[in-house]
Amino acid sequence: GQNIDQPTEMTATEGAIVQINCTYQTSGFNGLFWYQQHAGEAPTFLSYNVLDGLEEKGRFSSFLSRSKGYSYLLLKELQMKDSASYLCAVRDGDYKLSFGAGTTVTVRA
Amino acid sequence: DAEITQSPRHKITETGRQVTLACHQTWNHNNMFWYRQDLGHGLRLIHYSYGVHDTNKGEVSDGYSVSRSNTEDLPLTLESAASSQTSVYFCASSESEGSGTDTQYFGPGTRLTVL
């Protein structure tokens, strides 16, 4: 089976940095995805890692360590619009994904 | 623009009734997926398809069925709705690149209430 863990909630101040951790134990590994989901909306793709290291995309960065079964999503220069749930998902072999329960990030003024 | 749509967006039904949720995508993607999302559980895979006439069970498939008669559509049927199936249902699609991101694109969701 798949086991993907991430914190339930995080709170941070506008302009700050927040790091959302994700640990996984899966039967296989073929890539890790991060999605953003605003309340009442569909998830939207943020980032993808398949090799160890850091991928940077503007204010968002994602890191992967396959040997440790660990990833994090880094959100810099937080804005109020970043208040959302962030979903970690692992592709274990073919094309389907297994998702963690999601981390709700609240950005305070 | 290519897109993925779901209908209806909201549905209230009674226990024991058959319900079908529609999913239509215009990306010409081979892969399509159905998930349910409940508080505390995240997205859980119900069924998926990798092409016409191909269907596979996900982790929570009991009580659900799908069929894939063309590339664009993957309807989800609840054969006899139960209160435990009250949830938000998302459809998604992705390309079969074999490499790269194979990003899944999600529809807007259907909120289903079973009374």
Side-chain angles (χ1 to χ4, degrees):
Chain A
Q2 320 291 47
N3 190 22
I4 301 169
D5 291 318
Q6 48 182 132
T8 304
E9 295 180 342
M10 302 183 75
T11 301
T13 305
E14 199 173 12
I17 298 173
V18 70
Q19 178 175 314
I20 306 169
N21 296 324
C22 172
T23 58
Y24 63 90
Q25 290 176 304
T26 56
S27 54
F29 182 82
N30 191 21
L32 187 140
F33 295 74
W34 285 96
Y35 284 82
Q36 180 189 58
Q37 185 178 24
H38 285 101
E41 298 182 8
T44 55
F45 170 75
L46 280 180
S47 69
Y48 167 76
N49 296 71
V50 68
L51 299 176
D52 290 354
L54 187 69
E55 294 282 341
E56 297 190 80
K57 231 188 227 187
R59 294 188 298 114
F60 294 0
S61 303
S62 56
F63 172 84
L64 175 67
S65 169
R66 288 173 299 171
S67 62
K68 294 182 179 177
Y70 168 70
S71 173
Y72 67 73
L73 180 70
L74 197 68
L75 286 61
K76 295 176 275 191
E77 301 169 18
L78 277 173
Q79 301 176 9
M80 299 300 289
K81 67 179 182 180
D82 298 329
S83 292
S85 285
Y86 292 85
L87 313 177
C88 174
V90 173
R91 184 171 63 197
D92 63 1
D94 46 19
Y95 304 107
K96 61 184 186 293
L97 299 177
S98 296
F99 283 83
T103 300
T104 300
V105 172
T106 302
V107 181
R108 300 173 305 187
Chain B
D1 284 346
E3 61 176 358
I4 181 166
T5 58
Q6 293 182 233
S7 61
R9 295 294 312 279
H10 301 272
K11 174 80 176 176
I12 299 174
T13 191
E14 295 177 343
T15 302
R17 291 192 180 258
Q18 183 180 79
V19 176
T20 297
L21 309 182
C23 175
H24 179 80
Q25 52 97 4
T26 58
W27 278 300
N28 202 35
H29 284 165
N30 288 327
N31 306 330
M32 295 185 73
F33 308 85
W34 272 105
Y35 297 89
R36 59 178 290 173
Q37 187 173 39
D38 306 285
L39 276 175
H41 287 280
L43 287 160
R44 291 184 290 174
L45 185 63
I46 305 171
H47 281 286
Y48 59 101
S49 167
Y50 291 157
V52 176
H53 303 311
D54 175 72
T55 61
N56 305 279
K57 294 181 179 180
E59 64 175 301
V60 290
S61 61
D62 287 348
Y64 303 94
S65 64
V66 293
S67 62
R68 186 92 180 267
S69 58
N70 58 52
T71 301
E72 296 79 19
D73 299 290
L74 187 71
L76 176 72
T77 297
L78 287 67
E79 289 117 13
S80 178
S83 57
S84 60
Q85 294 176 309
T86 293
S87 186
V88 179
Y89 291 85
F90 287 101
C91 178
S93 71
S94 72
E95 187 48 88
S96 304
E97 295 176 0
S99 62
T101 66
D102 295 335
T103 305
Q104 288 190 17
Y105 296 91
F106 285 81
T110 294
R111 184 173 294 275
L112 178 68
T113 302
V114 183
L115 301 176

